[in-house]
Amino acid sequence: LFRSAFAAVPTKYLDPDYLPHLTNTLLFHVASDAAVLSTDLVDGQEITMANGEIITVSISVDSVTLTPALGGSATVVSADVMASNGVAHVIDAVLAPAFLATNLAELATASGLTLLVQAVVAAGLADTISSADSSLTVLAPTDEAFAAVEGVAEILQDQDLLTSILLYHVFEGIISSSELTTGTVTPLNMI
């Protein structure tokens, strides 16, 4: 069951180079509070996981389902497996944390980055940041950051300039905040 559940995870996330992301995925399967027995669960309950994200518990007559905020779900197939340091509930799928469940375009939309999404569409870059085949890091400006740019309305109308500015905020590879160091990185508009 464990192997079949992990078979659904894109193999690039199981590569040693993606250890921080694998760690994030595993922590998304650990409740941040004390051990939670099945008898402690309530329908609609929200549980904060060790990676900081939340799952929602759905209880029906014959099953318990766990659903992350950004979609997907797993059903408990064996509850209350006791161990010396806690309890495990065996589930039938890998829960996908936000970075795995969505592409960058969906993440920007879900995060309320309205002007960034509009700019990406206007620049014709939606396919680029939505592609499942790409591994990118985006420095995503807030709506307030866009609004503070003098002449932003004109920039949004100039596709070449807009594309160059947006790609200045995009880097090849997935770079987590814990991996950042002092130095220079090359944005996509400089490659």
Side-chain angles (χ1 to χ4, degrees):
L1 188 61
F2 184 76
R3 282 193 189 117
S4 64
F6 264 95
V9 176
T11 56
K12 70 180 180 181
Y13 295 113
L14 301 177
D15 184 288
D17 291 338
Y18 289 89
L19 183 59
H21 310 296
L22 177 58
T23 301
N24 184 329
T25 301
L26 294 173
L27 289 174
F28 193 49
H29 291 76
V30 178
S32 63
D33 295 330
V36 180
L37 297 172
S38 63
T39 54
D40 298 328
L41 299 176
V42 176
D43 188 47
Q45 179 178 2
E46 292 184 342
I47 299 174
T48 301
M49 306 309 284
N51 74 342
E53 294 185 49
I54 295 174
I55 61 165
T56 301
V57 177
S58 299
I59 301 174
S60 69
V61 174
D62 59 350
S63 69
V64 174
T65 303
L66 308 173
T67 306
L70 294 174
S73 67
T75 300
V76 176
V77 296
S78 182
D80 298 331
V81 180
M82 300 305 296
S84 63
N85 62 342
V87 61
H89 305 288
V90 180
I91 57 177
D92 66 353
V94 175
L95 296 170
F99 86 91
L100 196 60
T102 61
N103 62 50
L104 290 167
E106 292 168 341
L107 186 61
T109 300
S111 300
L113 300 172
T114 307
L115 292 176
L116 175 61
V117 172
Q118 289 173 0
V120 165
V121 170
L125 296 172
D127 289 343
T128 301
I129 69 165
S130 298
S131 173
D133 296 327
S134 64
S135 293
L136 303 171
T137 296
V138 174
L139 303 177
T142 63
D143 285 357
E144 293 80 11
F146 271 104
V149 173
E150 188 173 323
V152 70
E154 293 79 20
I155 293 170
L156 290 171
Q157 301 303 314
D158 183 338
Q159 188 173 17
D160 291 337
L161 177 58
L162 179 60
T163 300
S164 179
I165 291 170
L166 290 174
L167 290 179
Y168 190 73
H169 293 78
V170 180
F171 305 89
E172 284 190 9
I174 298 174
I175 307 165
S176 68
S177 61
S178 64
E179 297 171 297
L180 294 175
T181 59
T182 301
T184 303
V185 293
T186 305
L188 287 184
N189 75 338
M190 304 299 268
I191 293 177

